[in-house]
């Protein structure tokens, strides 16, 4: 395994870092101010976001994800990792480069499993950053970490499918530009356990789709993106909106969640790097009890541990990316599960130390630490709770010793 950066990646890294310093970090505050000046935090996008997007597009820093595809920048997962990391240093960074969740995962689904017509209608405007999308799988009434529990129904009726169900935590559905949902539901409850589910494209303006409320995360509304509870009540869409085919929902979920998960991990490494940088700068500028906070042994231990933790997580992420590139997402499932446990826990630890080193300032919104912490905490749940990934890792480990039947 060679994790050195190619010439192409080194150039992109430099360009991206310069762009972040020139356009993204200085505009974090502007973005927040513009959002708060609006009549509602949900009805419009701060104009600075479009300005930054246009600049990123012009600079060729656009759609850097999407490996093995005629779309995107033609980078492998391993090449994308250090770039995604840089974007993740800012909460608003990924969207500037059209590389934010859940759109990247949804675009991968459309690129891999969409029909030509679906690609034209939905993938192209998503790639252009003109519209946004959401992914509706989780339901309030069932333990959705086990996707076989999903109850929503997708029933064929002539040339249409009829969708019924209640979903929550559909991230991104609050965005006024969000036009399309990928909805997971059951199309055949009599089929084999993993062939009952389908995924279907539902335009959000279809009659019967109601956004009932937006769910805050530790008090952050994450506007204008947000996390929605959505009711699908006798929603009718053309049969052509089915993705790949009836019964393929589980298979698509496996394909979708791999890239989506590792992107979260890459961004979390960036968030941890940013937190460590903030920590180091802060403790060199504050004096307590007669010496710089940086001179306290305990603080130096935090710094050392943070560096160790980040490096370990980065190496495992790169290994997972390498596996995805060389043997495919399915074969890389153990590494993806491992990094999905490691990265959020690592980021939480590093950000927590940075918050501590900032004193009260650390939990205020004068710094982005609190927001990054809240986001990292959700990622111990979103895209699968730690326990479910650990279960998967244990299952694969046990399988090596041919003790069949221990974990189904
Ligand atoms: C901020 C945020 C954004 C999200 N975005 C999306 C989105 O865009 N689209 C979407 O569909 N969903 C989204 N989710 C939902 C997320 O993926 C689910 O919350 C997650 O899969 C867990 O499902 P659940 O909430 O139903 O928890 P449950 O399935 O009820 O699980 C609860 C807990 O039970 C424990 N548990 C479960 N299984 C096991 C096991 N095998 N062993 C031990 N313990 C276990 C775990 O601790 C788990 O956290 C988001 C969630 C959050 C918080």
């Amino acid at each position: 395994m060679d994790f050195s950066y190619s010439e192409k990646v080194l150039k992109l890294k430099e360009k991206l870092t310069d762009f972040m310093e020139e356009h993204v970090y200085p505009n974090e505050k502007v973005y927040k101010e513009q959002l708060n000046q609006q009549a509602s935090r949900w009805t419009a996008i701060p104009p600075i976001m479009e300005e930054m997007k246009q600049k990123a597009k012009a600079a060729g820093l656009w759609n850097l994800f999407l490996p093995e595809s005629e779309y995107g920048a033609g980078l492998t997962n391993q090449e994308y990792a250090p770039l995604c990391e840089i974007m993740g240093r800012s909460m608003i960074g990924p969207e500037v480069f059209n590389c934010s969740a859940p759109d990247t995962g949804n675009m991968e689904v459309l690129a891999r499993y969409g029909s030509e017509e679906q690609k034209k209608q939905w993938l192209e405007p998503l790639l252009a950053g003109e519209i946004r999308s959401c992914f509706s799988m989780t339901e309030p009434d069932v333990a959705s970490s086990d996707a076989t529990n999903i109850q929503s129904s997708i029933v064929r009726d002539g040339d249409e499918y009829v969708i019924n169900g209640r979903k929550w935590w559909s991230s991104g559905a609050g965005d006024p530009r969000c036009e399309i949902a990928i909805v997971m539901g059951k199309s055949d409850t009599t089929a084999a356990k993993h062939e009952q589910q389908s995924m279907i494209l539902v335009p959000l303006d279809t009659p019967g789709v109601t956004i009932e409320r937006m769910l805050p995360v530790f008090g952050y509304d994450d506007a204008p993106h947000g996390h929605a509870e959505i009711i699908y009540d006798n929603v009718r869409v053309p049969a052509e909106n089915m993705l790949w085919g009836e019964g393929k929902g589980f298979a698509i979920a496996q394909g979708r969640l791999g890239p989506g998960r590792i992107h979260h991990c890459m961004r979390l490494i960036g968030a941890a790097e940013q937190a460590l940088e903030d920590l180091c700068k802060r403790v060199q500028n504050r004096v307590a009890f007669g010496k710089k906070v940086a001179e306290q042994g305990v603080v130096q231990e935090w710094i050392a541990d943070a560096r160790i933790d980040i490096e370990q997580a980065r190496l495992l992420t790169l290994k997972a990316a390498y596996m995805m590139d060389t043997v495919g997402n399915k074969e890389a499932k153990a590494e993806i599960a491992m990094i999905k446990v490691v990265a959020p826990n690592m980021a939480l630890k590093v950000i927590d130390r940075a918050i501590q080193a900032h004193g009260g300032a650390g939990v205020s919104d004068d710094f982005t630490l609190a927001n990054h912490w809240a986001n990292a905490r959700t990622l111990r749940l979103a895209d699968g709770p730690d326990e479910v990934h650990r279960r998967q890792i244990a299952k694969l480990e046990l399988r090596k010793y041919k003790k069949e039947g221990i974990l189904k």
Side-chain angles (χ1 to χ4, degrees):
M1 270 173 264
D2 178 3
F3 292 155
S4 58
Y5 300 132
S6 66
E7 206 43 46
K8 175 171 73 171
V9 172
L10 284 172
K11 277 196 189 129
L12 278 168
K13 261 185 86 184
E14 195 184 334
K15 203 166 161 185
L16 193 56
T17 303
D18 290 348
F19 191 98
M20 292 288 287
E21 274 161 17
E22 194 180 337
H23 303 291
V24 181
Y25 303 129
N27 282 320
E28 285 176 335
K29 218 170 143 218
V30 178
Y31 180 87
K32 230 193 259 177
E33 282 164 3
Q34 289 184 350
L35 192 62
N36 289 332
Q37 276 160 12
Q38 294 173 172
S40 156
R41 287 164 60 79
W42 301 98
T43 44
I45 305 303
I48 190 68
M49 179 52 77
E50 275 312 313
E51 286 168 34
M52 288 188 289
K53 278 169 65 179
Q54 293 316 319
K55 284 181 183 146
K57 216 185 238 185
L61 297 169
W62 193 252
N63 291 335
L64 298 175
F65 68 107
L66 264 180
E68 289 172 55
S69 163
E70 61 191 280
Y71 311 101
L75 300 174
T76 62
N77 287 296
Q78 198 185 323
E79 287 173 324
Y80 178 54
L83 307 171
C84 185
E85 191 186 301
I86 295 168
M87 298 174 203
R89 293 173 74 111
S90 168
M91 292 298 294
I92 61 168
E95 188 186 341
V96 173
F97 308 100
N98 212 36
C99 289
S100 55
D103 293 312
T104 56
N106 291 342
M107 286 189 261
E108 287 222 29
V109 166
L110 285 162
R112 281 174 197 271
Y113 308 106
S115 65
E116 285 314 308
E117 193 42 47
Q118 290 167 348
K119 286 181 190 166
K120 199 166 163 30
Q121 198 175 357
W122 304 112
L123 179 59
E124 287 180 11
L126 278 166
L127 286 166
E130 290 161 6
I131 65 165
R132 299 206 66 189
S133 60
C134 67
F135 182 66
S136 271
M137 181 168 96
T138 305
E139 300 179 359
D141 298 334
V142 292
S144 304
S145 52
D146 177 354
T148 61
N149 284 336
I150 295 303
Q151 288 178 329
S152 293
S153 62
I154 302 176
V155 177
R156 179 96 191 213
D157 183 23
D159 293 341
E160 295 179 323
Y161 280 99
V162 184
I163 299 131
N164 278 289
R166 179 184 285 266
K167 299 286 186 179
W168 73 347
W169 295 110
S170 295
S171 298
D175 192 310
R177 299 160 300 177
C178 184
E179 291 192 13
I180 188 76
I182 296 180
V183 180
M184 185 163 173
K186 283 194 177 163
S187 46
D188 181 1
T189 51
T190 63
K193 199 174 174 188
H194 296 109
E195 286 165 20
Q196 299 185 3
Q197 303 78 7
S198 298
M199 283 197 198
I200 195 156
L201 291 162
V202 179
L204 285 186
D205 61 0
T206 314
V209 178
T210 309
I211 294 190
E212 199 161 78
R213 62 172 174 150
M214 301 306 297
L215 296 148
V217 172
F218 297 114
Y220 290 99
D221 63 7
D222 290 344
H225 173 81
H227 314 279
E229 181 160 349
I230 308 180
I231 298 170
Y232 296 89
D233 180 17
N234 279 316
V235 175
R236 287 182 169 268
V237 296
E240 304 82 75
N241 284 25
M242 179 61 70
L243 274 162
W244 192 5
E246 272 190 40
K248 299 287 190 194
F250 222 88
I252 300 175
Q254 296 313 307
R256 180 193 185 282
L257 293 175
R261 281 174 184 150
I262 197 167
H263 295 167
H264 280 309
C265 298
M266 294 166 181
R267 287 188 284 267
L268 285 166
I269 293 167
E273 279 287 4
Q274 184 61 50
L276 179 56
E277 184 180 322
D278 290 350
L279 187 165
C280 291
K281 287 181 178 162
R282 181 81 173 181
V283 295
Q284 290 185 74
N285 290 324
R286 307 276 286 189
V287 174
F289 302 99
K291 57 180 176 182
K292 284 186 179 169
V293 177
E295 288 165 15
Q296 301 288 350
V298 65
V299 173
Q300 292 179 4
E301 202 172 302
W302 294 345
I303 293 170
D305 284 347
R307 173 51 60 213
I308 293 166
D309 292 344
I310 293 173
E311 295 297 325
Q312 287 177 334
R314 179 181 288 122
L315 282 173
L316 188 52
T317 305
L318 287 171
K319 185 190 174 197
Y322 167 85
M323 299 279 292
M324 289 166 79
D325 292 333
T326 51
V327 291
N329 299 353
K330 207 169 161 203
E331 287 301 309
K333 60 182 178 234
E335 281 72 17
I336 295 171
M338 284 186 244
I339 193 57
K340 181 59 181 51
V341 176
V342 167
N345 285 290
M346 175 283 295
L348 283 169
K349 228 157 74 180
V350 173
I351 298 168
D352 185 70
R353 290 188 195 112
I355 288 175
Q356 195 68 13
H358 277 71
V363 291
S364 78
D365 61 5
D366 284 3
F367 292 84
T368 53
L369 293 167
N371 202 347
H372 274 301
W373 188 91
N375 179 55
R377 183 62 187 84
T378 68
L379 288 166
R380 289 194 55 214
L381 297 163
D383 276 357
D386 289 0
E387 294 75 15
V388 174
H389 293 300
R390 283 200 166 94
R391 178 179 183 272
Q392 166 86 342
I393 298 161
K395 199 167 140 184
L396 293 169
E397 198 64 26
L398 287 165
R399 195 176 287 168
K400 291 180 195 164
Y401 305 98
K402 297 195 188 311
K403 299 264 187 225
E404 295 293 345
I406 295 173
L407 289 164
K408 292 268 183 238

